[in-house]
């Protein structure tokens, strides 16, 4: 069971939009709409940002949005702000009744 | 506020055993799955396994099967992660998290992780 593939880093200027991809297989991302995204600051616990591909928990800014096409899910951050600089991880349910994280993406605000 | 409170950091020697804990509060602990997640120094998140405290149904990621044991005591609202013989490569931060799930046609589907503990740092060094 391999980790989902994410770009190691993505950067953007304040106000811009960035998109982080999360590529899996038909046994995880492509097979189920149970993809979630987590934000993690250094030294802190992860925080849920998106669940079930495109839903935002209460209190999460609408600048964060999620989508999926085939075996690839995506997280888009619009109107990039300095506070968005963090690590982001995707996660998916798998066909062997477990869960798997992505490799993680470091977002830098230029 | 729903909380998961984890036990404190540990420093152990290779070969020693260890059991760390995660106590839930302000929700019905036995009715929600609890997962454990590893984060090695400077690395990403790894999903280790999960337990349903009400009946102790437990699943492991293939990478962690046989390497750790996950258990729970619903009477004290506490989940545990344990090792029988630690290795230096077990050095990491371990998070417990409430994993929301659904049941359909005989299968549990693990949706997302909505509540996280602050993590327990485990250092294994001779």
């Amino acid at each position: 069971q391999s980790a989902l593939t994410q770009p190691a880093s993505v950067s953007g200027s304040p106000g811009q939009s960035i998109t982080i991809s999360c590529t899996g297989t038909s046994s995880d991302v492509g097979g189920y709409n149970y993809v979630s995204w987590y934000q993690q600051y250094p030294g802190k616990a992860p925080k849920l940002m998106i669940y079930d591909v495109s839903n935002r928990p209460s209190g999460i800014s609408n600048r964060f949005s999620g989508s999926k096409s085939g075996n690839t899910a995506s997280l888009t951050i619009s109107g990039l702000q300095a506070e968005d600089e963090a690590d982001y991880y995707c996660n998916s349910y798998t066909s062997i009744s477990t869960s798997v994280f992505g490799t993680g993406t470091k977002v830098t605000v230029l | 506020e729903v909380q998961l409170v984890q036990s404190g950091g540990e420093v152990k020697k290779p070969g020693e055993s260890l059991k760390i804990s995660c106590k839930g509060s302000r929700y019905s602990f036995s009715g929600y799955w609890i997962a454990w997640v590893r984060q090695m120094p400077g690395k990403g998140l790894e999903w280790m396994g999960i337990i349903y405290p009400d009946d102790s149904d437990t699943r492991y990621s293939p990478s962690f099967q046989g390497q750790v044991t996950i258990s729970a005591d619903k009477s004290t609202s506490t989940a545990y992660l344990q090792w029988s013989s630690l290795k230096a490569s077990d050095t990491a931060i371990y998070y417990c998290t409430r994993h929301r799930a659904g049941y359909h046609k005989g299968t549990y589907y693990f949706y997302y992780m909505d509540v996280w503990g602050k993590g327990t740092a485990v250092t294994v060094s001779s």
Side-chain angles (χ1 to χ4, degrees):
Chain A
Q1 181 182 339
S2 300
L4 309 174
T5 301
Q6 298 180 228
S9 62
V10 173
S11 62
S13 299
Q16 286 187 327
S17 293
I18 62 169
T19 296
I20 303 168
S21 61
C22 169
T23 301
T25 69
S26 58
S27 296
D28 38 63
V29 174
Y32 311 93
N33 287 324
Y34 304 134
V35 176
S36 51
W37 290 88
Y38 302 85
Q39 177 191 63
Q40 186 182 35
Y41 291 116
K44 299 295 187 183
K47 176 183 178 181
L48 176 68
M49 304 301 285
I50 295 286
Y51 68 95
D52 294 352
V53 175
S54 60
N55 294 300
R56 279 188 312 278
S58 174
I60 300 301
S61 170
N62 60 8
R63 297 186 300 104
F64 292 85
S65 62
S67 63
K68 191 185 85 166
S69 177
N71 295 337
T72 298
S74 298
L75 173 71
T76 297
I77 309 174
S78 58
L80 198 62
Q81 298 179 2
E83 68 201 48
D84 300 330
E85 187 161 293
D87 294 326
Y88 292 83
Y89 296 90
C90 61
N91 176 271
S92 174
Y93 176 78
T94 80
S95 61
I96 57 171
S97 200
T98 61
S99 189
V100 63
F101 282 101
T103 49
T105 298
K106 181 176 180 59
V107 168
T108 300
V109 181
L110 301 172
Chain B
E1 178 193 1
V2 173
Q3 274 190 318
L4 293 173
V5 178
Q6 297 189 232
S7 50
E10 302 273 1
V11 179
K12 292 288 192 179
K13 290 181 167 43
E16 291 184 332
S17 63
L18 176 64
K19 192 174 189 178
I20 62 175
S21 66
C22 168
K23 183 174 176 62
S25 62
R26 302 188 183 90
Y27 76 98
S28 179
F29 182 80
S30 60
Y32 292 82
W33 293 81
I34 293 288
W36 288 93
V37 174
R38 181 175 79 174
Q39 188 165 37
M40 299 174 75
K43 302 298 184 183
L45 305 175
E46 299 173 271
W47 194 90
M48 301 174 70
I50 195 167
I51 188 165
Y52 190 65
D54 192 53
D55 62 4
S56 291
D57 184 358
T58 308
R59 322 283 174 89
Y60 294 93
S61 166
S63 302
F64 291 93
Q65 179 81 48
Q67 306 305 305
V68 296
T69 300
I70 294 171
S71 60
D73 181 348
K74 63 181 180 180
S75 70
T76 59
S77 299
T78 304
Y80 300 96
L81 177 65
Q82 69 180 90
W83 296 260
S84 58
S85 181
L86 287 160
K87 302 185 282 286
S89 58
D90 292 318
T91 294
I93 296 176
Y94 294 87
Y95 294 100
C96 64
T97 174
R98 189 173 76 171
H99 207 313
R100 304 300 291 270
Y103 185 78
H104 180 63
K105 292 185 178 178
T107 299
Y108 276 104
Y109 295 87
F110 302 120
Y111 300 154
Y112 56 91
M113 293 157 273
D114 64 345
V115 181
W116 291 73
K118 292 186 186 299
T120 294
V122 174
T123 301
V124 184
S125 174
S126 54

